[in-house]
Amino acid sequence: MADKSSTTESQPPLTQWQNSLPFKFSLIQLVIASILIFSTAWVMLSIQNQQITEQQAVLNQNHGQIVIAKLQEMTSQVENLVSAISNIAMLYRYDKPQLSKAIPALFSIENQKDVISGGGVWPEPDSFNQQKFRDSLFWSHNIHNELIAIDTYNDQAFPSYHTEEWYRPTRFFPAGRTFWSKSYVDPTTHEPMITASGAMWMEHQFIGAATVDISLGKLDILLRNAMADVGGYVIALDHQNQVLAYPHSKDHNQPQTNATQTLLTFDALAKSTLAFAPVASALANADRTFVEQAIAQRVFTQEQMDNLTRLSKDNEREMLAAIVNSNALNQFTVPKLLASISLVTDPILNTPSLVSIFLMPNTYWKILVVTPIAPLQDTAMHLVEKIGIYLVSIQLLGLILLFLLQHRLFISPIMEMVQALKRNDPASIEIKANQRHDEIGLLAKTFLSRTQQLEVAMASLDASNLALEQQLQSQQLFQQELNFHKEQLRALLKFSPNLIYIKDLNGKYILVNDKYCEVLGIERRRIIGASDFDLFHSQLALIYQQNDQRVTHSRDAINFEEVIPSHRGELVYQMTKFDIKDDEDHSIAVGAIGFDIDLRKRQELEIEKLLQTQVVSIQKQQNKTQLANDENAQLRQQLALIHHEIAQQQQLNLSRLQSQKLMQNFLADIMTQLMQEQDHLLGQICQTQAEANPEYQTHTIELMALQADRLRHISQLFTAHQSDIRPLHLAQFIRHLLGLLQGQLMRANVNVSLTCDENLIVDGSSWQYLQFFYRLICNTLNHAFKEHNQSRELHINITRQGNKLHVQLSDNGVGMTESQLTQLRQEMAQDLCLGTLTCLSLWVKNDLNGVLSLESELNKGTQVVCSWPL
């Protein structure tokens, strides 16, 4: 008993408190309880925030619908007013006094005075009055709210209204549809506004636009009143993201007086107010998506859109073209929610806010509705704090109860068992095992069983130690004998002049002699454990490996000639490789003995001869390849010529097709004019017979003479090609053509002079001459006189020099820039058919074997010279 107690006292103390199971269990429970409390609070707060965000989004959508409904009510009234002005303008198209009375009466309607600043009618050139290029009727309210007429836009010194941003797109809008322009400052009234424009069409011809101007200051007041009962505000943007309405100060009831503030873009506002940066990014993404959808469902061609947007700013062209295409599809008819963005701190409300972005139909305005969300978040935090207190109390009570139960059920029994083990008292453990019938009792029984096994194992270990000592003595004797054999083998390997090595079945070197290390020039420690792929290049290593595998498969000695790289170059050795087996006749390694053979020079000569043969063979192959390449080059040249001829024929067919369409249109126009004049003449004859007035009879005779003259021109032009080739009196032919085109020349206000020898008679197809001169004259009428010139001259000079006919057509029109002229000459040189002149040049070159050239100077005119053999 004394020995036992002394042993117990010498044992180390119990586990420290920070490493004990009660402390660890309590710490784990505390961590788990904390995680549960915080995760529960986080989930509740997240759910509450999500619900608040959804409620705020629904609230914003409702506010946005109310604001957009008020705006749509206003815009619908404006669009109806534009439609009414357009209808009145078309009704009294040629009665300007009646227009001057009717249109101002529309602006006096009471429900139209809230936001309307002015408006009017803007005809196309010569549409209302053939003597006037500009003939607009425009009224605007002055500072006394009086409606006055303004004629500044008709002044020649003032920029033409036909190029204005609010006018050009209406050409692509049908009657009854309204185009809303971007915001701008009117150059005459100096008032910030936005214009609603409606196209006027008569007989499938665009004759001008009707407009109504909206004052941005009055529009801003309308939006402020719409949000008067809501704790937020509204920002309105046009389709180019220019600000239409924005609360610049906390006093929302004061109207804005600085016009430049309403014309700034939202990007500029976001740069000065960084809190709006997420909103600007959302607007940019929405605009990019809108433009991509419009491009994917394009209605108008890219050439039409380029012509429309060429006068617009670079950053506004894509959006303007997208609006025109989207309006043609007519798919966007209801307001659309583009995005909802949360702001941490709104720069005006100074609280967390939610911004909802809406896109209005027809106007394509962006309406930004901003409302605060801070009060709802405070309610959510207060709810989470109250629930958190109850959760913490419940978790702490549960933690204490769980700790007491754990300590009583298994921590205390385990501690008693540990104390018994430290005292080396198996009797107490056996009592615990008999008393407990749960996992604790099973653990005690296992301890007892394991202790008995350990006692048996200790006895077995004592017996094993004795046997091992005897075995160790026998091994020492064998080791001495093995060392003797090793010394013999070491002497053989050291002094042998041949190469000797042994590899295992994986190709790793396990033994090499000094000669092998000397030839390779590699230390033994680097060779042992390495493979052939580690020591040699892959080709040699692969050869060595294949030879080793042959030996292993044949299980016999085989001779090989192998090249061994050394510091003196590659040496050829006669290698005898053999299979090494164990006592059970299993292959365990591959051994090799190498003998130096004097075959280097003969092998080098053979290799050199072989190399020369290969060089000759390669040269022959290169010659054959060069011949094949030359043949391929000739074939490619022939293919390129064929492609060029095909492309040239395609361009020629395109030119002829264009000529055919143009002549078809020409014939259709002539027949339409003849039918209209025939109807008019028939009416005149009937009226003359009814009234029997000599003046009417005289007028009717003049009309019949004019009609007969036109028929004579047509007869000379279109009956002249009854045969393919006949003599043609060229001067008379041109005069007949000019007489037939007299109506177009008069409408274009162009004077034509002809210089041609009256005796000039040419052989050829009159149809070809008709196509050439008609296309050339029509191209000049359509493109040379784009500006309103007082004097428009067109001179045709036809001469014959030898066997060639020279035609020169000169005008005093707008001309072309140097870059345009250069590009047109390049297209003509490449035989492309991209326009009238290029197609005409290609047609003259191929059908008449002639040449067409151009000379032009900007604002001075253009000269077209063409000649071909007769």
Side-chain angles (χ1 to χ4, degrees), residues 633-651:
Q634 292 178 359
L635 291 175
R636 284 194 294 270
Q637 291 177 356
Q638 294 176 0
L639 184 60
L641 291 175
I642 293 173
H643 285 316
H644 177 71
E645 291 177 358
I646 293 173
Q648 188 175 8
Q649 187 63 33
Q650 289 176 348
Q651 295 294 325

Side-chain angles (χ1 to χ4, degrees), residues 435-479:
Q435 291 178 349
R436 301 291 293 263
H437 301 286
D438 52 7
E439 285 78 2
I440 301 298
L442 181 62
L443 179 63
K445 293 178 181 178
T446 304
F447 273 129
L448 293 175
S449 175
R450 184 63 63 185
T451 302
Q452 294 175 358
Q453 292 176 0
L454 287 175
E455 291 177 354
V456 174
M458 290 297 294
S460 176
L461 284 175
D462 291 339
S464 298
N465 287 334
L466 180 60
L468 286 174
E469 290 178 356
Q470 296 176 354
Q471 186 177 1
L472 183 60
Q473 293 178 356
S474 300
Q475 287 181 353
Q476 288 177 352
L477 295 176
F478 291 130
Q479 186 68 31

Side-chain angles (χ1 to χ4, degrees), residues 239-431:
H239 62 260
Q240 296 294 352
N241 290 340
Q242 292 186 153
V243 178
L244 301 178
Y246 172 69
H248 296 280
S249 62
K250 295 182 179 180
D251 186 8
H252 292 181
N253 296 323
Q254 295 295 330
Q256 301 174 18
T257 58
N258 189 355
T260 59
Q261 291 182 354
T262 62
L263 297 181
L264 83 164
T265 63
F266 193 83
D267 288 337
L269 180 62
K271 291 180 181 178
S272 60
T273 307
L274 297 179
F276 285 139
V279 182
S281 178
L283 284 172
N285 292 334
D287 289 346
R288 185 163 48 253
T289 302
F290 180 75
V291 171
E292 290 174 354
Q293 291 176 352
I295 293 175
Q297 300 178 349
R298 179 177 295 169
V299 176
F300 301 101
T301 64
Q302 185 64 38
E303 182 180 0
Q304 290 175 314
M305 292 297 97
D306 291 341
N307 187 43
L308 168 64
T309 60
R310 61 188 177 86
L311 298 178
S312 302
K313 297 179 180 178
D314 293 340
N315 58 344
E316 298 178 356
R317 293 180 179 177
E318 289 186 350
M319 179 56 69
L320 180 58
I323 288 176
V324 173
N325 277 289
S326 177
N327 180 76
L329 294 172
N330 196 23
Q331 295 178 348
F332 177 40
T333 57
V334 296
K336 184 186 298 183
L337 177 63
L338 298 180
S340 293
I341 302 98
S342 298
L343 299 182
V344 179
T345 302
D346 183 78
I348 295 178
L349 301 177
N350 294 323
T351 59
S353 302
L354 182 66
V355 181
S356 295
I357 305 174
F358 298 89
L359 181 64
M360 281 185 60
N362 299 332
T363 61
Y364 296 94
W365 294 349
K366 285 99 172 177
I367 307 301
L368 282 64
V369 180
V370 185
T371 55
I373 59 176
L376 296 175
Q377 287 185 345
D378 295 340
T379 303
M381 290 298 297
H382 182 66
L383 179 62
V384 171
E385 289 176 357
K386 291 178 62 177
I387 295 176
I389 294 173
Y390 292 108
L391 285 176
V392 170
S393 301
I394 293 172
Q395 292 288 344
L396 289 176
L397 290 176
L399 181 64
I400 294 171
L401 180 61
L402 182 61
F403 174 77
L404 294 176
L405 292 175
Q406 289 177 348
H407 193 274
R408 180 176 180 81
L409 290 176
F410 59 89
I411 294 178
S412 295
I414 290 176
M415 294 299 296
E416 292 176 359
M417 291 176 61
V418 171
Q419 293 288 350
L421 289 173
K422 294 179 69 66
R423 296 194 306 267
N424 196 12
D425 186 7
S428 299
I429 298 176
E430 186 174 359
I431 293 172

Side-chain angles (χ1 to χ4, degrees), residues 699-719:
H699 181 64
T700 302
I701 291 172
E702 291 177 355
L703 291 177
M704 291 179 66
L706 180 61
Q707 184 75 355
D709 190 39
R710 293 177 63 84
L711 290 173
R712 180 172 55 84
H713 293 320
I714 294 174
S715 175
Q716 290 297 325
L717 289 176
F718 296 106
T719 62

Side-chain angles (χ1 to χ4, degrees), residues 218-232:
K218 297 178 181 178
L219 178 63
D220 186 35
I221 295 174
L222 176 66
L223 290 176
R224 290 179 178 178
N225 294 334
M227 293 295 290
D229 299 332
V230 182

